[in-house]
Amino acid sequence: MQLGMVGAGRMGAGLVRRLTQAGHSCVVYDPNSAAVDRLRADGVAGVASLPEFVGALEKPRIAWVMVPAAVVGSVVAELASLLEPGDVVVDGGNSFYRDAVVRAGELAARGIEYVDVGTSGGVHGAERGFCLMVGGTKNAVLQLEPVFRALAPGVDAAGRTFGRRGRPAPEEHGYVHCGGPGAGHFVKMVHNGIEYGQMAALAEGMAILRNAGIGAKSRSCDAETAPLPNAAFYRYDFDIAAILEAWRRGSVVSSWLTDLTAAAVHADPDLAAFSGHVADSGEGRWTLQAAIDEGVPAHVLAAALLERFSSRGEGEYANKALSAMRKAFGGHLEQEVLV
Ligand SMILES: NC(=O)C1=CN([C@@H]2O[C@H](COP(=O)(O)OP(=O)(O)OC[C@H]3O[C@@H](n4cnc5c(N)ncnc54)[C@H](O)[C@@H]3O)[C@@H](O)[C@H]2O)C=CC1
Ligand SMILES: O=C(CO)[C@H](O)[C@H](O)COP(=O)(O)O
């Protein structure tokens, strides 16, 4: 099958590589010509503009858009002006699901299908396969089946779930048709909300392990600093890389996230290469918005998102206000934090 890819960055390039390895042919457009050239070197057809891109695709055309969420709207609008009824636009990026609902409606009015595909697998997807969460009409999803099959990790990526029998369902290959327009991005949004929570849980646990030797360190205290309680019980010097390595094998918290974290800590035990300022690109905020609209308590996901704000110093003013209040009501001086 032939597919066009708009966006040849980390994800777009990985998707194209996996598709071409499976025997599909791809046409790629990206305004960054160096990104296109890298794929050309692998035998992929690269073009220099969206009109050229549309002109190079066989009908009915499949145009997969893999660009930052902020530019999806303008890319889809330009594509829509060039495409014809029967063509399909796929948005594989981390777009807000409500934008997908609106865009699907606008394109349907022109006879163009819009399929939203939440894509998980990151920069390792080209090799491990991509987990795909799909939203759109049954017809469009059916048309894209060979593409999804080639991109997904496949049945051997996980042991078969007890009780499942017969021919493996699409989800056992690693792609799932979640529902109508927007459903794929909704499910990917929640996936990323969960991702924030799992990441935060692992990171906080690692920090508690790292500080478990605090009782062995000399610690001055005064009237303003509480003495460390139970100091004798905090005299461990844990090798976090070793613990994570063991957790990868048979533990309840084994996961791909644990694998990646173990590798990062093994390479850089103090994580000195990182500032600790953690960005967020929207999915966690949208997940919480959905939780609020649905009235679902999502304490862990909320805490994980807010922790990212704190990591960037967004809590600094509030913390200064706390110190100011403490000083105002109790005459307390700010102390250097000793633990
Ligand atoms: N990096 C990751 O782990 C994952 C990213 N995503 C999503 O996939 C999408 C792409 O992400 P990445 O590949 O990581 O970003 P990236 O920054 O590596 O690549 C984006 C590419 O889009 C191109 N681009 C920008 N404006 C364009 C335009 N107007 N027309 C055509 N191309 C344009 C850029 O030149 C760049 O090559 C985003 O929506 C992102 O949230 C989804 C899953 C995982
Ligand atoms: O979708 C992803 C992983 O599943 C992307 O890596 C995404 O960028 C992660 O979200 P955030 O940037 O908000 O941490």
Side-chain angles (χ1 to χ4, degrees):
M1 235 173 130
Q2 193 214 35
L3 177 142
M5 182 67 65
V6 182
R10 288 165 297 192
M11 293 299 288
L15 291 163
V16 165
R17 290 214 165 90
R18 194 160 172 93
L19 284 168
T20 51
Q21 272 161 20
H24 297 288
S25 74
C26 294
V27 177
V28 173
Y29 165 65
D30 191 305
N32 174 3
S33 58
V36 177
D37 288 343
R38 278 194 290 276
L39 286 168
R40 271 205 195 98
D42 292 346
V44 173
V47 294
S49 70
L50 266 188
E52 199 187 333
F53 172 82
V54 170
L57 293 177
E58 294 156 11
K59 297 179 190 178
R61 304 172 183 90
I62 299 170
W64 185 303
V65 179
M66 207 64 193
V67 300
V71 297
V72 171
S74 60
V75 170
V76 170
E78 192 181 345
L79 266 178
S81 72
L82 299 165
L83 294 173
E84 292 172 323
D87 292 342
V88 182
V89 172
V90 180
D91 176 11
N94 283 337
S95 301
F96 190 28
Y97 75 96
R98 294 185 201 173
D99 292 339
V101 174
V102 172
R103 287 172 193 147
E106 288 167 355
L107 267 64
R110 309 169 81 132
I112 301 167
E113 292 276 6
Y114 190 86
V115 179
D116 48 289
V117 178
T119 308
S120 183
V123 291
H124 302 266
E127 178 198 316
R128 298 173 83 238
F130 297 92
C131 174
L132 305 172
M133 296 145 260
V134 184
T137 67
K138 262 192 187 153
N139 278 349
V141 173
L142 211 59
Q143 191 180 340
L144 292 168
E145 191 87 20
V147 170
F148 297 148
R149 187 63 71 95
L151 291 174
V155 287
D156 294 333
R160 196 154 209 205
T161 297
F162 182 76
R164 281 193 178 266
R165 287 190 180 79
R167 205 185 141 114
E171 55 271 26
E172 294 182 87
H173 288 266
Y175 62 97
V176 55
H177 184 192
C178 303
H185 282 157
F186 191 100
V187 174
K188 178 68 185 345
M189 168 187 83
V190 175
H191 165 284
N192 279 30
I194 295 169
E195 185 177 285
Y196 284 28
Q198 290 187 335
M199 290 168 71
L202 188 54
E204 288 180 8
M206 288 163 63
I208 295 169
L209 290 173
R210 189 171 161 88
N211 282 293
I214 201 96
K217 292 178 188 148
S218 67
R219 181 177 183 275
S220 63
C221 60
D222 54 34
E224 288 292 330
T225 314
L228 176 68
N230 305 315
F233 293 103
Y234 298 97
R235 293 179 187 275
Y236 300 110
D237 180 15
F238 290 127
D239 180 342
I240 296 171
I243 292 166
L244 289 172
E245 195 58 42
W247 282 355
R248 294 181 59 213
R249 294 170 175 81
S251 88
V252 171
V253 297
S254 61
S255 69
W256 188 48
L257 212 44
T258 302
D259 296 348
L260 296 174
T261 313
V265 176
H266 179 66
D268 178 5
D270 293 327
L271 299 174
F274 300 92
S275 71
H277 292 222
V278 188
D280 73 290
S281 33
E283 301 268 32
R285 299 178 192 220
W286 303 331
T287 306
L288 278 189
Q289 186 59 58
I292 291 165
D293 290 344
E294 294 175 7
V296 171
H299 309 280
V300 172
L301 308 197
L305 173 67
L306 301 186
E307 180 53 37
R308 290 195 182 196
F309 299 168
S310 294
S311 79
R312 308 195 297 251
E314 307 295 349
E316 202 173 310
Y317 181 73
N319 292 334
K320 285 182 178 177
L322 291 180
S323 281
M325 287 181 239
R326 245 181 123 244
K327 184 178 180 204
F329 61 65
H332 303 293
L333 299 175
E334 269 191 328
Q335 300 289 319
E336 190 190 348
V337 178
L338 298 172
V339 287

